[in-house]
Amino acid sequence: MVEPVLLWRRLVGAQVRSQLQYRTSFLLDLFGSFLISFIDFLAVLVIFHNVPQLGVWSVREVALLYALSSISFALTDLLIGHLDQFPQKIRDGNFDILLVRPRGSLFQVVASDFQLRRLGKAMQGVLVLVYALAALHLHWTVGRVAMLVVMIPAGVVIFASVWVIGACLAFWTTDGGEFTNAFTYGGNFMAQYPIDVYASWLRRFLCYLVPLGFVCYFPALYLLGKHDPLGLPRFLQFASPVVAVIAAAVAGTIWRGAVRHYRSAGG
Amino acid sequence: MIEVEHLTKEFVVRRGRLRRERHVVEAVRDISFHVERGELLGYLGPNGAGKSTTIKMLTGILVPSGGRVTVAGLDPSKRRVELAKRIGAMFGQRVQLWWDLPLIDSFELLRHIYRVPADRYRTSLQRFRTVLDLDPFLHTPVRQLSLGQRIRGELTAAMLHEPELLFLDEPTIGLDVVAKQRVRDFLVEINRERGVTVLLTTHDLGDIERLCERLLVIDRGSLIWDGRIGELKERYGRDRLLIVDLERPVPPLEVAGAVVERVDGPRQWLRFRGPAADLTARVAAATRLVDLQIAEPDIEEIVRRIYAGER
Amino acid sequence: MRLDWEIAKRGWRRYAAYPWATAAGVFTNTIFGFLQAYILLAVFRHRSHVGSYDAADTVTYVWLAQALIMTVYVFGWQELALRIRDGAIATDLSRPLDPQRYWLAFDLGRAPYHLLFRGVLPFAVGALVFRVHYPSPLEALAFAGSVALAVVVSLGFRFLYNAAAFWLLDIRGVMTVAITLNLFLSGMVMPLTFFPGWLRSIAHALPFASILQTPVDVWLGKHHGADLAGVLALQALWAVVLLGLGRLALRGGARRLVVQGG
């Protein structure tokens, strides 16, 4: 268990070292990813300029949802966002090289092309989280602290599973990358708002079937001590880690099946 | 070391944009061959003949559609990770080194990927540094290396974990004469001294002639030759060429037992089989000869004839 | 004219070559459309109007924005910058064809492809599920003209920030700021109607509103008569100004290229 993590650190560390050689360019990218993702929070503020509440949700509560989803998503993006370039790896046949090495193929894809600049996105989420927590005056219990600590990694695993499943599409067509965006970037956009605003068919699809509702909506209800406007069972608020494990298992199975379908480029 | 029985790979290709028709293309069709430990053999074929597809099935990259493959006692596609520790692979046109990092860093990372113990790694690397003369560019980022230097780095990367079997896909492509020779010497060394089995695909017949004793030739998915190079020459090389220089240009000669293959001014090329003396006498009787020479077909000519369908 | 037509055809074909990418894009735009539509509809549970927009206007806005997102190309574009960086621009400049005219023609070929294949389907899905506003024939005609102008304004802006590559080694920083401003101030993220008054005034004083907000408002029939003519004229003015600035930048950059010897 430990050895792959050490290897991951070694592989990623080497890439980070070479990225930090170009300091100005790195800082520009960091700032850029901060700025662009921050627009989404400006949108939240614009909405609440017009209404005091969105359904039963105040701006502070939505800020908390926004921050938690953004942080989970940004960390996922940092860890495996380079899966967006996976179709390119398939197209030019460079995936072959990973397959002749004695390590899991997904592990190797994830450990290559790491981009530290994506950290900018997470910084923006942390900033909003600080604002939300400062404004909300939550009553902190052991349970709530534990929830906050557990829900972020669970959210990362859920987003990551969705991303991996989306990336598998590249084994069939290398032009469909944007399809995956609907669930990754789209999933983040969705999870930044309380899911009771969406129509029930969309919720069933994007919050339960694709379990993005478990990234932050349900855990946040518990953090806020809020009554679920959808009236769903309370145990769902604690289900995120379980959902994450299931999602990861499904993603791993699909990946393994898809690799067997790999056709490789160039005769 | 390698056992291949009735190996087949089909690809489904869809053509057309909207009404996409389904075509099944057999990239590799019912191939069988065996490779013993310690062999160095060449795998030859025109572009798109199925060379790379075969190698990819042998290394576990592609799953066969039919037939059976065993490499080092393992089924490659089912036991890919296990097999990967025991084989090395180098694809001449792909970069497996880390582009932005110094060469030595790539070796360090590969050491951990392959779990090579530190002492084994040190001796292994030391040997390649000497044999392939890596020291001048060991600390240079890979993107700044010349092609020849990079290929030497790639060879080292493929061999660091001391595999029993090495797959090389076009290892000398694009290299100049000197660099090519260095790669060939290296391959001979690891094969003869270390007993590494080497399977080499190439377009370069120089590689084949200098390195390989045995040759596999594939064309349009089927194996059309499997045997020693000597046998190949004997079988397809029985035809020789008599090149004659005449006094002046004349129409193609008509002599029994030979066919004129080419005419260039007063020079003509006659393809024949059997003793040269009789033919020379017949030609001399027919016209005034200035000079003559006899050419054995080289491997390039032979392969051209095989592809052209002269079996 | 014949030449422009040929270039435009290439612009169309470049994108028509990837039907799967188009299909995937349509799907993604549709998902984003649904999400944004439901989020903004939640606002109308509390009030019936935001500025001059009612719920139907807002939903129409959301779907038009998704339909036009590729047509008016608000995301990063750096083809010119890459040609400047790798020096290919020197070849472009030595040709009798002006680079700006080339890219304008190319973009005017690209835009109809995106309007037709990336725009129509998401909007149709939105129109099936939600109550949307349909324009009168006159408004539709004005909308077509406004979209065409929006494409030119968009290209003028993209050309301008790409030209920064003549002076900067790396335009990523410039491009990020440009995209951020464009996304936010064109109304792509949120209709400008929803903005606080002061921010709305700033947005309307800048060219970005001409890239999305104006065409959508024209579709929604928010402008009539002289007012309509006025906003279209303003779009045209921005098109001329941005293309003019781009031309100056190109000239300055070319001079710099000559001085430095490429």
Side-chain angles (χ1 to χ4, degrees):
Chain A
M1 252 335 256
V2 180
E3 199 267 351
V5 176
L6 291 179
L7 179 62
W8 179 86
R9 264 185 39 190
R10 222 178 269 281
L11 290 167
V12 166
Q15 294 162 60
V16 168
R17 271 201 306 284
S18 77
Q19 284 159 26
L20 290 180
Q21 282 170 16
Y22 308 94
R23 193 141 308 214
T24 323
S25 155
F26 171 76
L27 288 174
L28 273 176
D29 282 339
L30 193 69
F31 172 70
S33 93
F34 179 93
L35 196 64
I36 289 205
S37 46
F38 193 66
I39 298 184
D40 288 336
F41 188 63
L42 292 183
V44 173
L45 294 180
V46 167
I47 287 178
F48 281 94
H49 168 74
N50 295 288
V51 279
Q53 299 261 109
L54 201 59
V56 297
W57 299 78
S58 71
V59 64
R60 294 160 181 186
E61 290 167 338
V62 173
L64 182 73
L65 286 175
Y66 174 93
L68 292 171
S69 176
S70 294
I71 293 170
S72 292
F73 182 74
L75 292 177
T76 313
D77 186 39
L78 179 67
L79 292 172
I80 67 162
H82 33 292
L83 277 178
D84 282 355
Q85 276 77 53
F86 182 60
Q88 183 60 38
K89 242 191 175 51
I90 294 256
R91 209 177 299 141
D92 56 26
N94 280 331
F95 186 53
D96 288 2
I97 287 166
L98 304 186
L99 285 177
V100 296
R101 290 181 184 155
R103 296 285 178 162
S105 52
L106 181 57
F107 171 83
Q108 292 189 75
V109 172
V110 165
S112 56
D113 306 321
F114 183 88
Q115 295 288 348
L116 189 62
R117 61 158 189 260
R118 298 204 172 95
L119 205 55
K121 236 183 238 184
M123 285 159 33
Q124 172 262 151
V126 171
L127 206 68
V128 178
L129 182 68
V130 169
Y131 155 75
L133 291 181
L136 276 166
H137 306 295
L138 290 181
H139 176 62
W140 287 105
T141 61
V142 176
R144 284 190 176 144
V145 173
M147 179 63 89
L148 190 63
V149 173
V150 170
M151 70 175 290
I152 301 277
V156 169
V157 172
I158 293 171
F159 270 133
S161 306
V162 171
W163 218 315
V164 167
I165 293 169
C168 288
L169 186 68
F171 289 106
W172 283 269
T173 169
T174 51
D175 292 337
E178 222 185 312
F179 182 81
T180 311
N181 292 356
F183 298 96
T184 51
Y185 298 91
N188 178 36
F189 180 49
M190 187 211 74
Q192 287 170 345
Y193 290 87
I195 64 170
D196 59 307
V197 301
Y198 306 117
S200 60
W201 69 267
L202 189 60
R203 246 187 344 249
R204 264 180 227 130
F205 176 47
L206 273 180
C207 305
Y208 313 141
L209 179 67
V210 182
L212 293 166
F214 292 89
V215 169
C216 72
Y217 178 79
F218 292 115
L221 284 175
Y222 175 77
L223 283 185
L224 292 165
K226 204 173 168 69
H227 177 71
D228 186 356
L230 295 167
L232 292 167
R234 199 149 176 272
F235 74 86
L236 290 177
Q237 299 177 5
F238 307 96
S240 298
V242 180
V243 171
V245 170
I246 295 170
V250 171
T253 308
I254 291 181
W255 176 271
R256 272 191 296 278
V259 170
R260 286 187 73 78
H261 196 85
Y262 177 50
R263 306 170 46 133
S264 182
Chain B
M1 199 77 212
I2 302 176
E3 281 161 49
V4 173
E5 311 272 358
H6 306 294
L7 183 63
T8 299
K9 180 70 189 178
E10 294 169 348
F11 289 114
V12 177
V13 181
R14 287 172 202 278
R15 297 208 188 106
R17 201 160 287 168
L18 290 173
R19 266 182 305 140
R20 288 156 69 84
E21 287 171 51
R22 214 164 160 271
H23 291 263
V24 176
V25 177
E26 281 190 309
V28 169
R29 196 182 314 166
D30 194 16
I31 283 185
S32 303
F33 62 87
H34 291 243
V35 179
E36 298 299 324
R37 184 176 292 272
E39 277 195 84
L40 197 170
L41 77 162
Y43 195 32
L44 198 68
N47 273 333
K51 284 182 310 233
S52 299
T53 305
T54 313
I55 297 252
K56 283 169 187 170
M57 285 191 280
L58 295 178
T59 47
I61 294 173
L62 289 177
V63 182
S65 324
R68 205 172 58 83
V69 194
T70 314
V71 178
L74 302 168
D75 179 338
S77 67
K78 294 211 177 81
R79 316 267 296 270
R80 180 184 72 71
V81 171
E82 213 174 319
L83 179 65
K85 283 182 213 157
R86 299 174 53 186
I87 63 171
M90 193 201 113
F91 306 97
Q93 300 176 77
R94 307 217 193 293
V95 188
Q96 60 170 325
L97 303 164
W98 278 258
W99 194 244
D100 289 316
L101 300 180
L103 185 56
I104 184 77
D105 287 15
S106 286
F107 298 153
E108 271 292 324
L109 292 174
L110 285 168
R111 156 165 116 73
H112 291 284
I113 288 177
Y114 282 91
R115 298 187 171 95
V116 182
D119 51 336
R120 290 259 301 280
Y121 167 74
R122 262 195 306 277
T123 42
S124 189
L125 182 62
Q126 187 52 52
R127 196 161 64 83
F128 293 120
R129 278 166 62 178
T130 322
V131 179
L132 287 170
D133 191 19
L134 301 177
D135 285 353
F137 51 90
L138 203 52
H139 295 278
T140 311
V142 172
R143 67 183 131 80
Q144 294 171 12
L145 300 181
S146 71
L147 180 62
Q149 291 172 332
R150 209 198 80 214
I151 294 295
R152 275 139 77 191
E154 300 274 0
L155 280 172
T156 308
M159 288 296 300
L160 264 180
H161 58 291
E162 302 178 310
E164 307 154 44
L165 172 60
L166 183 62
F167 292 98
L168 299 165
D169 196 3
E170 303 283 356
T172 58
I173 199 162
L175 294 183
D176 62 43
V177 185
V178 181
K180 257 183 201 171
Q181 195 48 48
R182 202 193 273 270
V183 169
R184 287 171 186 162
D185 290 346
F186 174 76
L187 294 180
V188 169
E189 201 261 352
I190 58 162
N191 177 247
R192 308 264 150 89
E193 309 295 316
R194 306 254 139 197
V196 177
T197 313
V198 181
L199 180 67
L200 168 82
T201 79
T202 184
H203 273 99
D204 191 315
L205 295 157
D207 289 347
I208 301 281
E209 269 200 304
R210 305 228 161 75
L211 292 172
C212 309
E213 296 214 316
R214 181 175 161 203
L215 188 62
L216 301 174
V217 182
I218 188 172
D219 189 26
R220 273 161 286 174
S222 298
L223 202 58
I224 55 176
W225 175 263
D226 176 359
R228 318 228 140 254
I229 294 201
E231 283 170 46
L232 186 78
K233 282 193 173 167
E234 214 162 276
R235 172 129 174 234
Y236 291 95
R238 276 176 302 183
D239 287 2
R240 291 186 289 170
L241 284 177
L242 177 70
I243 304 166
V244 291
D245 288 324
L246 309 175
E247 252 186 358
R248 59 198 156 77
V250 293
L253 296 169
E254 286 183 33
V255 269
V259 195
V260 175
E261 220 170 47
R262 219 179 125 196
V263 178
D264 183 11
R267 176 174 282 201
Q268 299 199 2
W269 283 258
L270 289 89
R271 192 159 150 200
F272 71 103
R273 194 172 282 189
D278 297 356
L279 181 65
T280 317
R282 280 198 292 275
V283 174
T287 180
R288 295 276 311 254
L289 258 174
V290 178
D291 200 357
L292 63 83
Q293 48 182 315
I294 293 167
E296 301 281 337
D298 60 3
I299 187 93
E300 193 144 2
E301 170 65 18
I302 291 173
V303 168
R304 197 184 61 72
R305 286 183 198 169
I306 299 179
Y307 292 167
E310 290 177 35
R311 311 256 160 98
Chain C
M1 207 50 210
R2 168 88 200 157
L3 179 63
D4 296 292
W5 176 248
E6 286 300 320
I7 298 167
K9 276 206 301 214
R10 288 206 164 77
W12 171 290
R13 278 193 211 131
R14 153 96 70 89
Y15 294 90
Y18 303 101
W20 282 106
T22 302
V26 164
F27 178 80
T28 304
N29 291 149
T30 307
I31 291 288
F32 270 92
F34 275 119
L35 294 171
Q36 206 187 6
Y38 286 122
I39 291 167
L40 291 185
L41 278 178
V43 170
F44 288 90
R45 290 181 202 164
H46 302 271
R47 50 193 294 185
S48 64
H49 279 80
V50 174
S52 61
Y53 278 29
D54 62 12
D57 288 339
T58 306
V59 168
T60 310
Y61 188 104
V62 167
W63 288 103
L64 281 178
Q66 290 301 324
L68 292 175
I69 199 164
M70 285 305 289
T71 309
V72 300
Y73 221 97
V74 286
F75 294 115
W77 183 83
Q78 50 175 342
E79 289 188 42
L80 175 68
L82 292 176
R83 288 190 79 75
I84 295 172
R85 201 173 68 182
D86 66 21
I89 190 74
T91 328
D92 297 353
L93 284 165
S94 69
R95 295 217 174 94
L97 174 67
D98 173 69
Q100 196 180 43
R101 184 170 151 194
Y102 171 84
W103 284 113
L104 185 59
F106 190 86
D107 217 48
L108 287 172
R110 174 201 63 77
Y113 175 81
H114 279 146
L115 186 64
L116 215 57
F117 290 95
R118 288 290 296 267
V120 170
L121 212 54
F123 187 84
V125 172
L128 276 177
V129 179
F130 298 93
R131 202 169 66 79
V132 297
H133 176 97
Y134 292 100
S136 69
L138 187 68
E139 283 162 1
L141 197 67
F143 172 74
S146 182
V147 169
L149 285 168
V151 172
V152 181
V153 175
S154 162
L155 179 89
F157 178 60
R158 283 177 278 142
F159 191 92
L160 191 59
Y161 73 70
N162 270 251
F166 280 115
W167 291 270
L168 301 172
L169 229 57
D170 191 341
I171 68 152
R172 271 178 302 179
V174 174
M175 193 165 80
T176 307
V177 173
I179 297 169
T180 308
L181 289 174
N182 198 358
L183 277 174
F184 193 61
L185 296 176
S186 67
M188 188 54 83
V189 174
M190 204 48 74
L192 296 185
T193 330
F194 281 58
F195 281 27
W198 60 273
L199 194 55
R200 199 165 55 233
S201 313
I202 294 176
H204 278 292
L206 292 169
F208 307 108
S210 293
I211 293 176
L212 186 73
Q213 183 73 42
T214 307
V216 175
D217 279 344
V218 169
W219 172 290
L220 291 173
K222 301 293 177 195
H223 303 288
H224 302 280
D227 180 28
L228 178 61
V231 293
L232 292 179
L234 182 62
Q235 278 188 296
L237 181 68
W238 278 122
V240 171
V241 167
L242 289 170
L243 288 177
L245 288 174
R247 177 150 296 267
L248 284 177
L250 186 66
R251 200 172 299 161
R255 203 174 304 128
R256 196 179 148 84
L257 214 59
V258 173
V259 172
Q260 296 189 337

